[in-house]
Amino acid sequence: SGAEPGADTPPRMLVAPRAASARTRLVQTAPRALACASATAPRTLLAVAAAPPLLLATPGAGRCMGGSSSKAPHRPVLKMASEVTDEEWKAKLSAEEYRILRKKGTERAGTGKYDKFYPAETGETGYFACAGCGNALYSAAAKFNSGCGWPAFDKCYEGSVATEVDESLFMRRVEIMCAACGGHLGHVFEGEHMTPTNERHCVNSVSVKWVKGAAPDKAEKKVV
């Protein structure tokens, strides 16, 4: 169970704070703080940890500098996440990544490639990043075996994860999202006493990528 299922390298162009959506709109209220204007009453923002502004390279039709010929090669267009359209997300992500990260879907239990992947047990060096924008989310040490069928983490890098109360389907859950691009990760649960933090981040494998290399020099904390 400790074998690495595949390593990814961090994207060269990344994403900035979350794009507006019909369900929840993140609005910057201070240089290092975000607030939420919810489109529907049942969904209430608990906390949005501060994240540095990042850029997304979209597959736009930008022309190379110094030429206007229609035959000139095109280069990606740099955009802030708030400017990225739904169609651009579809072009950037795979169909399954789009369904889960942007439409808040869920992969079937026990099917994710990181469910049984425990890099800390084999001494692998790296970290888990957002599959949408490359934002560093979890350390190798934060991952643990919860037996739930999805990757589980008991803490995240400070400022990397946003939380929001989800009271749909006549139940109360706390959604976790990438604080940089707003991509859906999964849900966080408390009170299970599985680890010292008493917190379990239940994350879709599709929502994250294992990145080999030096882990970020950042503190790790609970989010709820």
mmCIF file of all heavy atoms in Angstrom, residues 127-174:
data_model
loop_
_atom_site.group_PDB
_atom_site.id
_atom_site.type_symbol
_atom_site.label_atom_id
_atom_site.label_comp_id
_atom_site.label_asym_id
_atom_site.label_seq_id
_atom_site.Cartn_x
_atom_site.Cartn_y
_atom_site.Cartn_z
ATOM 1 N N TYR A 127 4.542 16.509 -1.409
ATOM 2 C CA TYR A 127 3.341 17.057 -0.783
ATOM 3 C C TYR A 127 2.164 16.893 -1.743
ATOM 4 O O TYR A 127 2.337 16.610 -2.933
ATOM 5 C CB TYR A 127 3.532 18.525 -0.421
ATOM 6 C CG TYR A 127 3.850 19.422 -1.594
ATOM 7 C CD1 TYR A 127 2.855 20.113 -2.280
ATOM 8 C CD2 TYR A 127 5.165 19.570 -2.039
ATOM 9 C CE1 TYR A 127 3.154 20.918 -3.371
ATOM 10 C CE2 TYR A 127 5.477 20.369 -3.115
ATOM 11 C CZ TYR A 127 4.469 21.048 -3.777
ATOM 12 O OH TYR A 127 4.776 21.834 -4.858
ATOM 13 N N PHE A 128 0.962 17.077 -1.226
ATOM 14 C CA PHE A 128 -0.244 16.996 -2.032
ATOM 15 C C PHE A 128 -0.694 18.416 -2.394
ATOM 16 O O PHE A 128 -0.831 19.272 -1.522
ATOM 17 C CB PHE A 128 -1.363 16.277 -1.278
ATOM 18 C CG PHE A 128 -1.083 14.811 -1.047
ATOM 19 C CD1 PHE A 128 -0.401 14.389 0.084
ATOM 20 C CD2 PHE A 128 -1.505 13.859 -1.963
ATOM 21 C CE1 PHE A 128 -0.138 13.041 0.300
ATOM 22 C CE2 PHE A 128 -1.245 12.508 -1.769
ATOM 23 C CZ PHE A 128 -0.559 12.095 -0.626
ATOM 24 N N ALA A 129 -0.909 18.647 -3.692
ATOM 25 C CA ALA A 129 -1.311 19.965 -4.184
ATOM 26 C C ALA A 129 -2.673 19.891 -4.855
ATOM 27 O O ALA A 129 -3.133 18.817 -5.245
ATOM 28 C CB ALA A 129 -0.274 20.487 -5.183
ATOM 29 N N CYS A 130 -3.308 21.035 -4.995
ATOM 30 C CA CYS A 130 -4.589 21.118 -5.692
ATOM 31 C C CYS A 130 -4.386 20.719 -7.153
ATOM 32 O O CYS A 130 -3.479 21.206 -7.820
ATOM 33 C CB CYS A 130 -5.135 22.534 -5.604
ATOM 34 S SG CYS A 130 -6.627 22.829 -6.601
ATOM 35 N N ALA A 131 -5.240 19.830 -7.657
ATOM 36 C CA ALA A 131 -5.130 19.382 -9.046
ATOM 37 C C ALA A 131 -5.531 20.477 -10.023
ATOM 38 O O ALA A 131 -5.180 20.422 -11.203
ATOM 39 C CB ALA A 131 -6.007 18.149 -9.268
ATOM 40 N N GLY A 132 -6.237 21.488 -9.546
ATOM 41 C CA GLY A 132 -6.672 22.556 -10.423
ATOM 42 C C GLY A 132 -5.646 23.656 -10.594
ATOM 43 O O GLY A 132 -5.462 24.174 -11.694
ATOM 44 N N CYS A 133 -4.962 24.026 -9.503
ATOM 45 C CA CYS A 133 -4.067 25.178 -9.576
ATOM 46 C C CYS A 133 -2.669 24.933 -9.033
ATOM 47 O O CYS A 133 -1.791 25.781 -9.161
ATOM 48 C CB CYS A 133 -4.679 26.371 -8.849
ATOM 49 S SG CYS A 133 -4.705 26.187 -7.041
ATOM 50 N N GLY A 134 -2.426 23.810 -8.391
ATOM 51 C CA GLY A 134 -1.097 23.521 -7.873
ATOM 52 C C GLY A 134 -0.815 24.070 -6.496
ATOM 53 O O GLY A 134 0.301 23.953 -5.998
ATOM 54 N N ASN A 135 -1.804 24.661 -5.846
ATOM 55 C CA ASN A 135 -1.629 25.192 -4.496
ATOM 56 C C ASN A 135 -1.305 24.053 -3.521
ATOM 57 O O ASN A 135 -2.017 23.051 -3.472
ATOM 58 C CB ASN A 135 -2.913 25.911 -4.058
ATOM 59 C CG ASN A 135 -2.804 26.518 -2.679
ATOM 60 O OD1 ASN A 135 -1.757 27.012 -2.285
ATOM 61 N ND2 ASN A 135 -3.912 26.494 -1.937
ATOM 62 N N ALA A 136 -0.235 24.185 -2.742
ATOM 63 C CA ALA A 136 0.146 23.149 -1.777
ATOM 64 C C ALA A 136 -0.902 23.053 -0.679
ATOM 65 O O ALA A 136 -1.226 24.049 -0.027
ATOM 66 C CB ALA A 136 1.513 23.476 -1.177
ATOM 67 N N LEU A 137 -1.421 21.842 -0.439
ATOM 68 C CA LEU A 137 -2.517 21.645 0.513
ATOM 69 C C LEU A 137 -2.113 20.826 1.736
ATOM 70 O O LEU A 137 -2.362 21.237 2.869
ATOM 71 C CB LEU A 137 -3.686 20.943 -0.187
ATOM 72 C CG LEU A 137 -4.309 21.640 -1.395
ATOM 73 C CD1 LEU A 137 -5.296 20.710 -2.084
ATOM 74 C CD2 LEU A 137 -4.980 22.935 -0.977
ATOM 75 N N TYR A 138 -1.529 19.649 1.495
ATOM 76 C CA TYR A 138 -1.263 18.717 2.587
ATOM 77 C C TYR A 138 0.149 18.138 2.512
ATOM 78 O O TYR A 138 0.652 17.850 1.425
ATOM 79 C CB TYR A 138 -2.257 17.552 2.542
ATOM 80 C CG TYR A 138 -3.708 17.949 2.626
ATOM 81 C CD1 TYR A 138 -4.529 17.924 1.493
ATOM 82 C CD2 TYR A 138 -4.280 18.336 3.839
ATOM 83 C CE1 TYR A 138 -5.869 18.280 1.573
ATOM 84 C CE2 TYR A 138 -5.620 18.691 3.921
ATOM 85 C CZ TYR A 138 -6.408 18.666 2.785
ATOM 86 O OH TYR A 138 -7.729 19.009 2.865
ATOM 87 N N SER A 139 0.737 17.908 3.676
ATOM 88 C CA SER A 139 2.040 17.252 3.735
ATOM 89 C C SER A 139 1.845 15.739 3.694
ATOM 90 O O SER A 139 0.736 15.232 3.892
ATOM 91 C CB SER A 139 2.757 17.630 5.032
ATOM 92 O OG SER A 139 2.099 17.041 6.154
ATOM 93 N N ALA A 140 2.932 15.023 3.453
ATOM 94 C CA ALA A 140 2.872 13.565 3.464
ATOM 95 C C ALA A 140 2.503 13.059 4.851
ATOM 96 O O ALA A 140 1.757 12.081 5.000
ATOM 97 C CB ALA A 140 4.216 12.991 3.023
ATOM 98 N N ALA A 141 3.005 13.728 5.893
ATOM 99 C CA ALA A 141 2.749 13.307 7.266
ATOM 100 C C ALA A 141 1.296 13.503 7.683
ATOM 101 O O ALA A 141 0.825 12.846 8.618
ATOM 102 C CB ALA A 141 3.661 14.072 8.215
ATOM 103 N N ALA A 142 0.586 14.393 7.004
ATOM 104 C CA ALA A 142 -0.809 14.661 7.378
ATOM 105 C C ALA A 142 -1.754 13.553 6.930
ATOM 106 O O ALA A 142 -2.871 13.440 7.443
ATOM 107 C CB ALA A 142 -1.259 15.993 6.790
ATOM 108 N N LYS A 143 -1.332 12.718 5.986
ATOM 109 C CA LYS A 143 -2.206 11.668 5.467
ATOM 110 C C LYS A 143 -2.216 10.466 6.413
ATOM 111 O O LYS A 143 -1.175 10.035 6.901
ATOM 112 C CB LYS A 143 -1.772 11.232 4.076
ATOM 113 C CG LYS A 143 -2.818 10.377 3.355
ATOM 114 C CD LYS A 143 -2.417 10.097 1.924
ATOM 115 C CE LYS A 143 -3.569 9.447 1.153
ATOM 116 N NZ LYS A 143 -3.969 8.162 1.742
ATOM 117 N N PHE A 144 -3.397 9.914 6.661
ATOM 118 C CA PHE A 144 -3.500 8.748 7.531
ATOM 119 C C PHE A 144 -4.570 7.801 7.008
ATOM 120 O O PHE A 144 -5.394 8.154 6.160
ATOM 121 C CB PHE A 144 -3.794 9.164 8.978
ATOM 122 C CG PHE A 144 -5.189 9.708 9.205
ATOM 123 C CD1 PHE A 144 -6.190 8.898 9.725
ATOM 124 C CD2 PHE A 144 -5.494 11.029 8.914
ATOM 125 C CE1 PHE A 144 -7.470 9.388 9.953
ATOM 126 C CE2 PHE A 144 -6.777 11.539 9.131
ATOM 127 C CZ PHE A 144 -7.766 10.711 9.653
ATOM 128 N N ASN A 145 -4.550 6.585 7.510
ATOM 129 C CA ASN A 145 -5.493 5.556 7.075
ATOM 130 C C ASN A 145 -6.746 5.600 7.934
ATOM 131 O O ASN A 145 -6.765 5.122 9.064
ATOM 132 C CB ASN A 145 -4.834 4.173 7.168
ATOM 133 C CG ASN A 145 -5.726 3.070 6.630
ATOM 134 O OD1 ASN A 145 -6.811 3.325 6.111
ATOM 135 N ND2 ASN A 145 -5.276 1.836 6.743
ATOM 136 N N SER A 146 -7.809 6.151 7.393
ATOM 137 C CA SER A 146 -9.075 6.254 8.129
ATOM 138 C C SER A 146 -10.011 5.099 7.812
ATOM 139 O O SER A 146 -10.997 4.880 8.527
ATOM 140 C CB SER A 146 -9.774 7.575 7.791
ATOM 141 O OG SER A 146 -10.247 7.557 6.453
ATOM 142 N N GLY A 147 -9.728 4.391 6.704
ATOM 143 C CA GLY A 147 -10.596 3.289 6.307
ATOM 144 C C GLY A 147 -11.914 3.733 5.687
ATOM 145 O O GLY A 147 -12.825 2.924 5.510
ATOM 146 N N CYS A 148 -12.011 5.013 5.322
ATOM 147 C CA CYS A 148 -13.284 5.536 4.805
ATOM 148 C C CYS A 148 -13.445 5.332 3.300
ATOM 149 O O CYS A 148 -14.543 5.496 2.771
ATOM 150 C CB CYS A 148 -13.425 7.011 5.145
ATOM 151 S SG CYS A 148 -12.256 8.092 4.279
ATOM 152 N N GLY A 149 -12.360 5.000 2.589
ATOM 153 C CA GLY A 149 -12.454 4.803 1.149
ATOM 154 C C GLY A 149 -11.995 5.990 0.325
ATOM 155 O O GLY A 149 -11.967 5.924 -0.901
ATOM 156 N N TRP A 150 -11.623 7.082 1.014
ATOM 157 C CA TRP A 150 -11.086 8.264 0.350
ATOM 158 C C TRP A 150 -9.811 8.689 1.084
ATOM 159 O O TRP A 150 -9.645 8.387 2.270
ATOM 160 C CB TRP A 150 -12.088 9.425 0.382
ATOM 161 C CG TRP A 150 -13.282 9.254 -0.485
ATOM 162 C CD1 TRP A 150 -13.400 9.575 -1.813
ATOM 163 C CD2 TRP A 150 -14.551 8.729 -0.083
ATOM 164 N NE1 TRP A 150 -14.670 9.280 -2.266
ATOM 165 C CE2 TRP A 150 -15.401 8.754 -1.227
ATOM 166 C CE3 TRP A 150 -15.072 8.235 1.114
ATOM 167 C CZ2 TRP A 150 -16.716 8.316 -1.196
ATOM 168 C CZ3 TRP A 150 -16.380 7.790 1.151
ATOM 169 C CH2 TRP A 150 -17.193 7.829 0.002
ATOM 170 N N PRO A 151 -8.908 9.404 0.430
ATOM 171 C CA PRO A 151 -7.733 9.920 1.120
ATOM 172 C C PRO A 151 -8.143 10.761 2.329
ATOM 173 O O PRO A 151 -9.073 11.564 2.248
ATOM 174 C CB PRO A 151 -7.047 10.784 0.057
ATOM 175 C CG PRO A 151 -7.470 10.160 -1.236
ATOM 176 C CD PRO A 151 -8.883 9.725 -1.009
ATOM 177 N N ALA A 152 -7.459 10.570 3.448
ATOM 178 C CA ALA A 152 -7.786 11.295 4.673
ATOM 179 C C ALA A 152 -6.552 12.034 5.186
ATOM 180 O O ALA A 152 -5.445 11.496 5.181
ATOM 181 C CB ALA A 152 -8.303 10.332 5.739
ATOM 182 N N PHE A 153 -6.763 13.266 5.631
ATOM 183 C CA PHE A 153 -5.694 14.096 6.185
ATOM 184 C C PHE A 153 -6.192 14.704 7.493
ATOM 185 O O PHE A 153 -7.377 15.035 7.615
ATOM 186 C CB PHE A 153 -5.322 15.213 5.209
ATOM 187 C CG PHE A 153 -4.913 14.728 3.839
ATOM 188 C CD1 PHE A 153 -5.866 14.497 2.855
ATOM 189 C CD2 PHE A 153 -3.574 14.490 3.538
ATOM 190 C CE1 PHE A 153 -5.496 14.044 1.593
ATOM 191 C CE2 PHE A 153 -3.196 14.042 2.280
ATOM 192 C CZ PHE A 153 -4.164 13.814 1.308
ATOM 193 N N ASP A 154 -5.292 14.874 8.456
ATOM 194 C CA ASP A 154 -5.737 15.414 9.746
ATOM 195 C C ASP A 154 -5.372 16.877 9.959
ATOM 196 O O ASP A 154 -5.698 17.464 10.989
ATOM 197 C CB ASP A 154 -5.218 14.561 10.907
ATOM 198 C CG ASP A 154 -3.703 14.624 11.078
ATOM 199 O OD1 ASP A 154 -3.012 15.149 10.172
ATOM 200 O OD2 ASP A 154 -3.211 14.150 12.121
ATOM 201 N N LYS A 155 -4.697 17.472 8.983
ATOM 202 C CA LYS A 155 -4.356 18.899 9.048
ATOM 203 C C LYS A 155 -3.913 19.340 7.659
ATOM 204 O O LYS A 155 -3.651 18.505 6.792
ATOM 205 C CB LYS A 155 -3.250 19.160 10.069
ATOM 206 C CG LYS A 155 -2.001 18.320 9.879
ATOM 207 C CD LYS A 155 -1.038 18.485 11.029
ATOM 208 C CE LYS A 155 0.133 17.508 10.958
ATOM 209 N NZ LYS A 155 -0.302 16.098 11.120
ATOM 210 N N CYS A 156 -3.853 20.654 7.455
ATOM 211 C CA CYS A 156 -3.451 21.193 6.157
ATOM 212 C C CYS A 156 -2.446 22.312 6.356
ATOM 213 O O CYS A 156 -2.264 22.813 7.462
ATOM 214 C CB CYS A 156 -4.671 21.719 5.392
ATOM 215 S SG CYS A 156 -5.515 23.081 6.240
ATOM 216 N N TYR A 157 -1.793 22.705 5.260
ATOM 217 C CA TYR A 157 -0.902 23.858 5.349
ATOM 218 C C TYR A 157 -1.729 25.101 5.668
ATOM 219 O O TYR A 157 -2.799 25.317 5.087
ATOM 220 C CB TYR A 157 -0.160 24.069 4.030
ATOM 221 C CG TYR A 157 0.907 23.027 3.762
ATOM 222 C CD1 TYR A 157 0.871 22.246 2.610
ATOM 223 C CD2 TYR A 157 1.955 22.824 4.654
ATOM 224 C CE1 TYR A 157 1.842 21.292 2.357
ATOM 225 C CE2 TYR A 157 2.927 21.875 4.416
ATOM 226 C CZ TYR A 157 2.869 21.103 3.262
ATOM 227 O OH TYR A 157 3.834 20.164 3.029
ATOM 228 N N GLU A 158 -1.219 25.883 6.586
ATOM 229 C CA GLU A 158 -1.946 27.079 6.998
ATOM 230 C C GLU A 158 -2.215 27.983 5.794
ATOM 231 O O GLU A 158 -1.325 28.277 5.012
ATOM 232 C CB GLU A 158 -1.131 27.840 8.049
ATOM 233 C CG GLU A 158 -1.852 29.033 8.637
ATOM 234 C CD GLU A 158 -1.054 29.704 9.752
ATOM 235 O OE1 GLU A 158 0.127 29.328 9.933
ATOM 236 O OE2 GLU A 158 -1.614 30.590 10.414
ATOM 237 N N GLY A 159 -3.460 28.411 5.646
ATOM 238 C CA GLY A 159 -3.837 29.295 4.551
ATOM 239 C C GLY A 159 -4.160 28.605 3.255
ATOM 240 O O GLY A 159 -4.372 29.259 2.242
ATOM 241 N N SER A 160 -4.216 27.274 3.251
ATOM 242 C CA SER A 160 -4.400 26.554 1.984
ATOM 243 C C SER A 160 -5.816 26.080 1.713
ATOM 244 O O SER A 160 -6.187 25.835 0.566
ATOM 245 C CB SER A 160 -3.465 25.339 1.928
ATOM 246 O OG SER A 160 -3.845 24.376 2.901
ATOM 247 N N VAL A 161 -6.620 25.951 2.763
ATOM 248 C CA VAL A 161 -7.952 25.355 2.620
ATOM 249 C C VAL A 161 -9.034 26.279 3.160
ATOM 250 O O VAL A 161 -8.897 26.852 4.246
ATOM 251 C CB VAL A 161 -8.015 23.988 3.348
ATOM 252 C CG1 VAL A 161 -9.433 23.425 3.339
ATOM 253 C CG2 VAL A 161 -7.055 22.991 2.695
ATOM 254 N N ALA A 162 -10.111 26.412 2.406
ATOM 255 C CA ALA A 162 -11.281 27.181 2.823
ATOM 256 C C ALA A 162 -12.370 26.218 3.245
ATOM 257 O O ALA A 162 -12.448 25.085 2.752
ATOM 258 C CB ALA A 162 -11.778 28.062 1.675
ATOM 259 N N THR A 163 -13.231 26.632 4.180
ATOM 260 C CA THR A 163 -14.333 25.795 4.633
ATOM 261 C C THR A 163 -15.664 26.511 4.473
ATOM 262 O O THR A 163 -15.733 27.741 4.572
ATOM 263 C CB THR A 163 -14.161 25.396 6.110
ATOM 264 O OG1 THR A 163 -14.092 26.578 6.905
ATOM 265 C CG2 THR A 163 -12.902 24.576 6.310
ATOM 266 N N GLU A 164 -16.698 25.746 4.246
ATOM 267 C CA GLU A 164 -18.026 26.312 4.050
ATOM 268 C C GLU A 164 -19.070 25.308 4.533
ATOM 269 O O GLU A 164 -18.963 24.113 4.253
ATOM 270 C CB GLU A 164 -18.233 26.618 2.566
ATOM 271 C CG GLU A 164 -19.547 27.295 2.245
ATOM 272 C CD GLU A 164 -19.666 27.545 0.745
ATOM 273 O OE1 GLU A 164 -19.967 26.595 0.015
ATOM 274 O OE2 GLU A 164 -19.449 28.697 0.332
ATOM 275 N N VAL A 165 -20.062 25.774 5.274
ATOM 276 C CA VAL A 165 -21.127 24.898 5.746
ATOM 277 C C VAL A 165 -22.054 24.547 4.597
ATOM 278 O O VAL A 165 -22.498 25.423 3.850
ATOM 279 C CB VAL A 165 -21.931 25.555 6.887
ATOM 280 C CG1 VAL A 165 -23.139 24.699 7.255
ATOM 281 C CG2 VAL A 165 -21.057 25.757 8.112
ATOM 282 N N ASP A 166 -22.312 23.269 4.431
ATOM 283 C CA ASP A 166 -23.209 22.779 3.390
ATOM 284 C C ASP A 166 -24.393 22.104 4.082
ATOM 285 O O ASP A 166 -24.251 21.052 4.696
ATOM 286 C CB ASP A 166 -22.452 21.772 2.507
ATOM 287 C CG ASP A 166 -23.321 21.189 1.400
ATOM 288 O OD1 ASP A 166 -24.525 21.518 1.350
ATOM 289 O OD2 ASP A 166 -22.796 20.397 0.597
ATOM 290 N N GLU A 167 -25.564 22.721 4.008
ATOM 291 C CA GLU A 167 -26.758 22.176 4.648
ATOM 292 C C GLU A 167 -27.757 21.650 3.629
ATOM 293 O O GLU A 167 -28.952 21.570 3.886
ATOM 294 C CB GLU A 167 -27.398 23.238 5.538
ATOM 295 C CG GLU A 167 -26.516 23.607 6.738
ATOM 296 C CD GLU A 167 -27.159 24.617 7.662
ATOM 297 O OE1 GLU A 167 -28.079 25.322 7.214
ATOM 298 O OE2 GLU A 167 -26.727 24.690 8.827
ATOM 299 N N SER A 168 -27.241 21.267 2.453
ATOM 300 C CA SER A 168 -28.118 20.675 1.448
ATOM 301 C C SER A 168 -28.419 19.232 1.811
ATOM 302 O O SER A 168 -27.788 18.636 2.686
ATOM 303 C CB SER A 168 -27.438 20.734 0.071
ATOM 304 O OG SER A 168 -26.230 20.002 0.084
ATOM 305 N N LEU A 169 -29.404 18.637 1.138
ATOM 306 C CA LEU A 169 -29.788 17.236 1.342
ATOM 307 C C LEU A 169 -30.187 16.956 2.787
ATOM 308 O O LEU A 169 -30.054 15.842 3.294
ATOM 309 C CB LEU A 169 -28.649 16.295 0.916
ATOM 310 C CG LEU A 169 -28.147 16.451 -0.527
ATOM 311 C CD1 LEU A 169 -26.980 15.506 -0.787
ATOM 312 C CD2 LEU A 169 -29.280 16.201 -1.513
ATOM 313 N N PHE A 170 -30.712 17.998 3.488
ATOM 314 C CA PHE A 170 -31.241 17.858 4.845
ATOM 315 C C PHE A 170 -30.203 17.339 5.839
ATOM 316 O O PHE A 170 -30.515 16.601 6.774
ATOM 317 C CB PHE A 170 -32.470 16.937 4.852
ATOM 318 C CG PHE A 170 -33.546 17.374 3.901
ATOM 319 C CD1 PHE A 170 -33.688 16.762 2.669
ATOM 320 C CD2 PHE A 170 -34.394 18.427 4.226
ATOM 321 C CE1 PHE A 170 -34.670 17.166 1.781
ATOM 322 C CE2 PHE A 170 -35.376 18.850 3.348
ATOM 323 C CZ PHE A 170 -35.526 18.225 2.114
ATOM 324 N N MET A 171 -28.944 17.736 5.632
ATOM 325 C CA MET A 171 -27.885 17.377 6.568
ATOM 326 C C MET A 171 -26.875 18.511 6.626
ATOM 327 O O MET A 171 -26.848 19.367 5.753
ATOM 328 C CB MET A 171 -27.194 16.070 6.148
ATOM 329 C CG MET A 171 -26.436 16.145 4.834
ATOM 330 S SD MET A 171 -25.614 14.584 4.401
ATOM 331 C CE MET A 171 -27.028 13.602 3.928
ATOM 332 N N ARG A 172 -26.076 18.499 7.692
ATOM 333 C CA ARG A 172 -25.066 19.536 7.851
ATOM 334 C C ARG A 172 -23.683 18.932 7.657
ATOM 335 O O ARG A 172 -23.284 18.028 8.381
ATOM 336 C CB ARG A 172 -25.145 20.187 9.231
ATOM 337 C CG ARG A 172 -24.171 21.352 9.418
ATOM 338 C CD ARG A 172 -24.234 21.878 10.851
ATOM 339 N NE ARG A 172 -23.419 23.069 11.018
ATOM 340 C CZ ARG A 172 -22.096 23.076 11.202
ATOM 341 N NH1 ARG A 172 -21.437 21.926 11.228
ATOM 342 N NH2 ARG A 172 -21.443 24.206 11.360
ATOM 343 N N ARG A 173 -22.969 19.428 6.659
ATOM 344 C CA ARG A 173 -21.600 19.003 6.409
ATOM 345 C C ARG A 173 -20.741 20.251 6.217
ATOM 346 O O ARG A 173 -21.256 21.320 5.917
ATOM 347 C CB ARG A 173 -21.515 18.119 5.157
ATOM 348 C CG ARG A 173 -22.304 16.831 5.240
ATOM 349 C CD ARG A 173 -22.114 15.983 4.000
ATOM 350 N NE ARG A 173 -22.600 16.659 2.803
ATOM 351 C CZ ARG A 173 -22.398 16.211 1.556
ATOM 352 N NH1 ARG A 173 -21.700 15.101 1.360
ATOM 353 N NH2 ARG A 173 -22.886 16.868 0.517
ATOM 354 N N VAL A 174 -19.433 20.089 6.401
ATOM 355 C CA VAL A 174 -18.516 21.206 6.194
ATOM 356 C C VAL A 174 -17.656 20.891 4.978
ATOM 357 O O VAL A 174 -16.826 19.977 5.004
ATOM 358 C CB VAL A 174 -17.625 21.455 7.432
ATOM 359 C CG1 VAL A 174 -16.668 22.615 7.163
ATOM 360 C CG2 VAL A 174 -18.486 21.765 8.649
#
